[in-house]
Amino acid sequence: MTYIVNDNCIACKYTDCVEVCPVDCFYEGENMLVIHPDECIDCGVCEPECPADAIRPDTEPETEKWVEFNRKYSELWPVIITKKDQLPGAEEMDGKPGKMELFSEAPGEGG
């Protein structure tokens, strides 16, 4: 099992999760985070930290595509281990449907 970040993170990018991760398996894109599925140790401490409910175990239905999505971008984006401010307007974007249209493949700053 591993954990994944889904599209609920897009345009919010809360980073509370990266502070509690014991293995630094989060990677930062311009407007979301992902988890490297091969680095995640399945501890689950990140899941309750996400205000957007974007972190889910891969055992839930329809998460297979998110495992591959997370794998792809974790190999392209820089690691993030330090909490940062969420994106401007995150509260308004939290829970909005259709956020994949806003997804950016651009890397974040990491750090």
Side-chain angles (χ1 to χ4, degrees):
M1 186 176 95
T2 187
Y3 284 81
I4 57 90
V5 179
N6 62 32
D7 55 340
N8 289 344
C9 185
I10 297 171
C12 292
K13 198 168 82 170
Y14 294 101
T15 57
D16 306 66
C17 52
V18 302
E19 277 194 321
V20 298
C21 181
V23 293
D24 302 335
C25 66
F26 281 89
Y27 292 79
E28 183 184 16
E30 181 179 34
N31 68 353
M32 80 173 291
L33 304 175
V34 292
I35 295 172
H36 194 300
D38 297 334
E39 295 174 1
C40 176
I41 60 170
D42 315 324
C43 67
V45 297
C46 58
E47 185 180 11
E49 297 300 317
C50 181
D53 195 31
I55 301 173
R56 311 301 309 159
D58 74 342
T59 53
E60 290 189 357
E62 301 183 28
T63 55
E64 299 86 15
K65 68 179 181 181
W66 290 108
V67 172
E68 291 314 310
F69 181 93
N70 278 244
R71 181 182 313 281
K72 176 182 178 179
Y73 290 102
S74 65
E75 292 174 0
L76 298 172
W77 293 346
V79 69
I80 178 172
I81 59 173
T82 307
K83 182 178 171 158
K84 300 178 180 181
D85 291 338
Q86 71 268 12
L87 294 177
E91 293 83 11
E92 294 80 32
M93 292 304 296
D94 191 354
K96 296 249 183 188
K99 288 170 60 169
M100 275 308 293
E101 295 175 6
L102 304 173
F103 173 68
S104 170
E105 291 187 352
E109 296 176 5

